[in-house]
């Protein structure tokens, strides 16, 4: 209101000036200038008296009297955005939130939650398979709980659902199909062998990615990148030869999972979209759920109906059985969502290193929790494979960073 009054009074003053003689107008203008712009006031970008710029040392020569308080006319939006506590001298200062003020802490929290949720998921998942060995059905539950979570989130507007058209749907379907196949085969491997061994086999995924980029996409892979994959292949081979829980079902399923996730990454590059990662993952989960339901019915349906559910309830009870199914699905969706959100917050190199450390955490905690006995050769092979993945990830991320800088330049 003060701003409005100042503007209206200024308007009436201008009207009065138009009715005065020329000399009186000049005298009145000079008086108004001397009153409204005392020495030392800073308005309109400088200290100007009759068109001359004053040095700061010449201002406020009279120290006995304080400088006149400035009165600035601000836009209505700026005036409304500033709080009364800020005073009249601040020009709509923007408050900095916690995430913007401490980005490193927020990113560290994302990494911690990613690791924590992933470890908890693997532990609950393996415990569930110990008394309910039906990985196809459990894979459906993983996706079903995640889809329900996404639908509830869209309903409350966190996040707001992004629209999808037929063209985008055609691009996401191949990604979702590969995601579904990789997810199911990973669970088949988890149910068949130790969690640590499955993650050791899945350490070969960078090798399949490099091979697909070279021979399918036609991208030239440098020799240094191929050489960095040699320890990965060697380490996985050493671990597989002496793994106590080894069986061909778990090994082949993990390898199929590697191939599926490799093709998922290829199709993901072709399906680049402006849609945010949360909505993209939600749509992929919905499509993957419909892909996983038919195999689960065909492969495990008769056994589930005959004695699968009855045996599980008899072993742990109905409440724990349903609770395990719910939480394993919830942790699966949340850790995948956190992994995607973390990727958006950091550089490729940081995310690559974080992904390697995540696998180390999962392998280590699974050995501790389940008390899996591993031979010395298996332990050494696992360490060599993880070290190879770390070297590969570092080189690959550095290459991507250099390409991005060259494009920016």
């Amino acid at each position: 209101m003060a701003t409005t009054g100042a503007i209206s009074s200024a308007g009436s003053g201008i009207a009065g000036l138009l009715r005065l003689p020329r000399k009186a107008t000049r005298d009145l203008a000079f008086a108004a200038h001397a009153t409204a712009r005392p020495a030392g006031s800073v308005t309109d970008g400088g200290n100007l008296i009759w068109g001359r710029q004053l040095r700061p040392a010449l201002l406020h020569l009279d120290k006995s009297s304080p400088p006149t308080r400035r009165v600035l006319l601000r836009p209505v939006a700026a005036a409304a955005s500033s709080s009364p506590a800020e005073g009249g001298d601040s020009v709509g200062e923007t408050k900095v939130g916690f995430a913007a003020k401490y980005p490193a802490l927020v990113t560290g929290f994302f990494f911690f939650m990613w690791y924590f949720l992933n470890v908890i998921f693997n532990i609950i998942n393996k415990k569930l398979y110990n008394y309910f060995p039906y990985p196809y059905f459990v894979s459906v539950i993983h996706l079903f709980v995640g889809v329900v979570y996404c639908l509830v989130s869209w309903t409350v507007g966190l996040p707001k659902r992004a629209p999808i058209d037929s063209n985008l749907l055609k691009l996401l379907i191949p990604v979702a199909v590969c995601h579904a196949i990789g997810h199911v085969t990973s669970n088949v491997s988890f149910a068949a062998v130790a969690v640590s061994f499955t993650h050791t086999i899945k350490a070969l995924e960078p090798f399949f990615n490099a091979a697909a980029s070279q021979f399918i996409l036609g991208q030239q892979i440098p020799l240094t990148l191929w050489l960095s994959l040699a320890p990965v292949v060697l380490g996985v081979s050493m671990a597989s030869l002496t793994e106590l829980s080894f069986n061909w079902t778990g090994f082949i399923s993990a390898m199929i999972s590697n191939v599926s996730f490799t093709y998922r990454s290829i199709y993901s590059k072709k399906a680049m979209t402006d849609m945010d990662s949360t909505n993209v993952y939600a749509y992929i989960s919905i499509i993957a759920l419909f892909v996983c339901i038919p195999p689960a019915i065909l492969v495990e349906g008769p056994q589930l109906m005959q004695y699968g559910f009855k045996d599980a309830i008899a072993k742990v009870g109905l409440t724990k059985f349903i609770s395990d199914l719910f939480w394993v699905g919830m942790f699966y969706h949340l850790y995948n969502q956190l992994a995607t959100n973390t990727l958006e917050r950091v550089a490729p190199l940081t995310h690559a290193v974080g992904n390697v450390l995540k696998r180390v955490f999962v392998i280590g905690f699974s050995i501790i929790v389940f008390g899996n006995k591993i031979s010395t050769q298996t332990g050494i092979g696992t360490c060599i494979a993880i070290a190879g993945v770390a070297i590969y990830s570092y080189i690959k991320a550095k290459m991507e960073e250099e390409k991005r800088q060259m494009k920016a330049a």
Side-chain angles (χ1 to χ4, degrees), residues 71-209:
V71 179
L72 300 179
L73 294 181
R74 295 176 296 173
V76 176
S81 63
S82 60
S83 61
E86 293 174 348
D89 292 335
S90 63
V91 185
E93 296 181 357
T94 304
K95 292 184 178 180
V96 180
F98 181 85
K101 193 174 182 180
Y102 304 101
L105 290 178
V106 176
T107 302
F109 176 76
F110 269 79
F111 271 102
F112 170 77
M113 292 303 298
W114 177 21
Y115 290 4
F116 174 76
L117 295 174
N118 199 340
V119 169
I120 297 300
F121 160 74
N122 280 275
I123 292 174
I124 298 178
N125 203 43
K126 185 60 178 178
K127 287 184 176 180
L128 177 63
Y129 287 137
N130 287 337
Y131 69 86
F132 188 69
Y134 297 94
Y136 286 85
F137 177 78
V138 173
S139 299
V140 171
I141 294 299
H142 291 166
L143 295 170
F144 176 76
V145 174
V147 168
V148 173
Y149 177 88
C150 293
L151 295 177
V152 173
S153 300
W154 280 342
T155 302
V156 299
L158 295 172
K160 185 177 180 181
R161 186 182 71 85
I164 187 172
D165 54 21
S166 58
N167 294 328
L168 182 57
L169 184 62
K170 292 178 182 179
L171 293 175
L172 291 181
I173 285 178
V175 181
V177 171
C178 293
H179 177 72
I181 296 174
H183 176 54
V184 171
T185 50
S186 294
N187 279 286
V188 172
S189 181
F190 284 136
V193 296
V195 174
S196 57
F197 180 61
T198 299
H199 279 279
T200 302
I201 301 299
K202 288 175 70 64
L204 281 172
E205 189 173 329
F207 175 82
F208 288 95
N209 285 332

Side-chain angles (χ1 to χ4, degrees), residues 230-252:
V232 181
V233 178
L234 176 62
V236 172
S237 301
M238 289 178 59
S240 301
L241 290 175
T242 56
E243 171 61 37
L244 300 179
S245 66
F246 178 87
N247 63 60
W248 285 106
T249 300
F251 179 81
I252 295 175

Side-chain angles (χ1 to χ4, degrees), residues 207-234:
F207 175 82
F208 288 95
N209 285 332
S213 299
Q214 176 93 31
F215 302 110
I216 297 178
L217 297 180
Q219 299 176 357
Q220 190 64 31
I221 302 299
L223 180 61
T224 54
L225 209 58
W226 281 114
L227 292 177
S228 68
L229 290 170
V232 181
V233 178
L234 176 62

